[in-house]
Amino acid sequence: MRVTIADVAREAGVSKTTVSRVINTKGEVDGSTAARVREVIAQLGYVPSSGAVGLARGSSRTVGMLVPSLAWPWMGEVLQGVVDTVEAADYGLLLFTCNRGAESVERFTSQVSARAFDGLVVVEPENTLDHLTALHRGGLPIVLIDDRGHHPEFPSVVTTNHEGGASAARHLLAAGRTRPLVLTGPQHFGCVRDRLGGFRTVLPTDLVVHGDFTERSGRQAVEQLLAEGAQFDSVFAHNDISAAGVLRALRAAGRSVPDDIAVVGFDDIPMAEHTEPPLTTVRQPTRQMGETAARLLLSHLGGTATPDGPVVLPTELVVRLSAP
């Protein structure tokens, strides 16, 4: 059972307020009493929660970050942007993942209840938006990264997915590619709908395969279409991982990239410039997304009003040898 501040106070024969003052190095406690409290803390192995310390200081000077998983290809860049900004402001960071589903959410909720952090940056795990909205309504400052088209009540940082898809289409069309295959991610993601919609405004196509952002989905989609005799001179994959699967399948089928088929991805993760051939892709400013979200949250904690709508950061087409 966890040792509480009440246990320390009872053992030391003082009030919980006195224990709190010792923990937070307040000057209202005489030296002998403070020494006795510290001795009891050591004996019992009491570890003050950041929330308990924050109650006395008015702030834990800690920011939480909730993400689905660290395995997402661009998560490292987003996280680094948050870390750089938070640490520069002399805040700490508590990182929570949802790898264990409901168990992870329960653990995260317990930290919210303990007031372990002052505000939260979120890359939304599946089926948590209602829970996050309730936390926001309860007073927890939240900033969302990549709202997936959900448009939450709280601030968010997004990119120009529609324009990113359009820029990929313009590039392929300018190169004389008129029979594209589009390989999407999960259809319920707003970014997927935006990327497909933007692409089709420039280069209409009915050859669309809905994938799941994995290398396997890119590889299998191309293998099946080639086996069926489908005719396409280019592929727009909705992320770089599935684009890598496309490249692998085309190479195995003896198709030359870009001579036979050009390939464009999305994200510009570090792997993109090391594929064979290097991948043309639409760059998301992932580190900047993390930095911007953290700045919004810290500004709010400092008393600055947050914007009413999402903060939109531009995408950028990066041309490499897979679609020169």
Side-chain angles (χ1 to χ4, degrees):
M1 183 178 296
R2 179 176 176 176
V3 178
T4 68
I5 195 170
D7 297 327
V8 174
R10 184 169 51 252
E11 185 69 22
V14 298
S15 68
K16 290 190 291 184
T17 300
T18 297
V19 177
S20 179
R21 286 173 176 167
V22 173
I23 292 170
N24 291 284
T25 63
K26 300 293 186 180
E28 301 91 337
V29 183
D30 69 78
S32 61
T33 301
R36 184 166 74 254
V37 170
R38 293 192 189 98
E39 183 179 350
V40 171
I41 287 174
Q43 289 174 349
L44 298 181
Y46 173 63
V47 179
S49 71
S50 57
V53 175
L55 286 173
R57 295 180 180 170
S59 166
S60 69
R61 293 201 67 81
T62 301
V63 167
M65 184 172 182
L66 176 66
V67 303
S69 168
L70 295 178
W72 285 21
W74 48 264
M75 191 63 71
E77 284 292 297
V78 171
L79 177 58
Q80 193 62 57
V82 173
V83 168
D84 290 346
T85 306
V86 165
E87 290 186 347
D90 198 27
Y91 271 69
L93 181 70
L94 282 176
L95 179 64
F96 303 92
T97 65
C98 279
N99 290 320
R100 297 184 179 183
E103 179 184 341
S104 298
V105 173
E106 182 178 347
R107 176 176 171 271
F108 163 72
T109 302
S110 72
Q111 295 298 304
V112 175
S113 300
R115 298 178 62 181
F117 47 87
D118 301 327
L120 184 67
V121 174
V122 180
V123 178
E124 180 200 342
E126 286 288 319
N127 303 316
T128 59
L129 186 60
D130 289 345
H131 182 56
L132 294 170
T133 300
L135 291 176
H136 169 70
R137 290 174 180 173
L140 180 67
I142 298 177
V143 177
L144 184 65
I145 297 174
D146 185 13
D147 67 12
R148 302 187 194 170
H150 290 162
H151 309 298
E153 298 176 7
F154 40 85
S156 62
V157 178
V158 301
T159 56
T160 51
N161 285 295
H162 189 277
E163 171 54 28
S167 68
R170 283 194 296 269
H171 181 72
L172 291 173
L173 188 59
R177 311 285 178 162
T178 58
R179 302 190 310 279
L181 158 66
V182 178
L183 176 63
T184 79
Q187 298 180 65
H188 61 279
F189 282 7
C191 63
V192 167
R193 296 190 297 271
D194 289 345
R195 291 171 194 178
L196 178 59
F199 189 92
R200 279 175 158 168
T201 61
V202 177
L203 192 51
T205 181
D206 292 324
L207 189 57
V208 176
V209 177
H210 298 292
D212 59 6
F213 284 150
T214 63
E215 189 273 350
R216 179 183 177 186
S217 71
R219 175 167 42 85
Q220 290 184 337
V222 169
E223 288 173 348
Q224 180 174 342
L225 287 170
L226 290 177
E228 294 172 353
Q231 299 296 311
F232 53 96
D233 59 11
S234 54
V235 180
F236 172 44
H238 276 196
N239 76 337
D240 293 341
I241 294 294
S242 56
V246 169
L247 291 174
R248 181 179 175 185
L250 291 173
R251 184 165 56 250
R255 302 297 180 93
S256 174
V257 177
D259 293 342
D260 297 330
I261 299 174
V263 179
V264 178
F266 207 106
D267 287 337
D268 196 28
I269 62 176
M271 177 206 72
E273 57 184 327
H274 301 294
T275 57
E276 182 55 45
L279 184 64
T280 293
T281 186
V282 180
R283 175 182 293 159
Q284 287 202 94
T286 46
R287 184 172 297 206
Q288 188 182 354
M289 291 166 72
E291 293 171 348
T292 302
R295 280 199 301 270
L296 283 174
L297 182 60
L298 292 173
S299 294
H300 177 71
L301 295 177
T304 302
T306 53
D308 293 333
V311 175
V312 183
L313 303 179
T315 53
E316 175 190 2
L317 184 71
V318 179
V319 178
R320 299 191 180 101
L321 294 180
S322 71

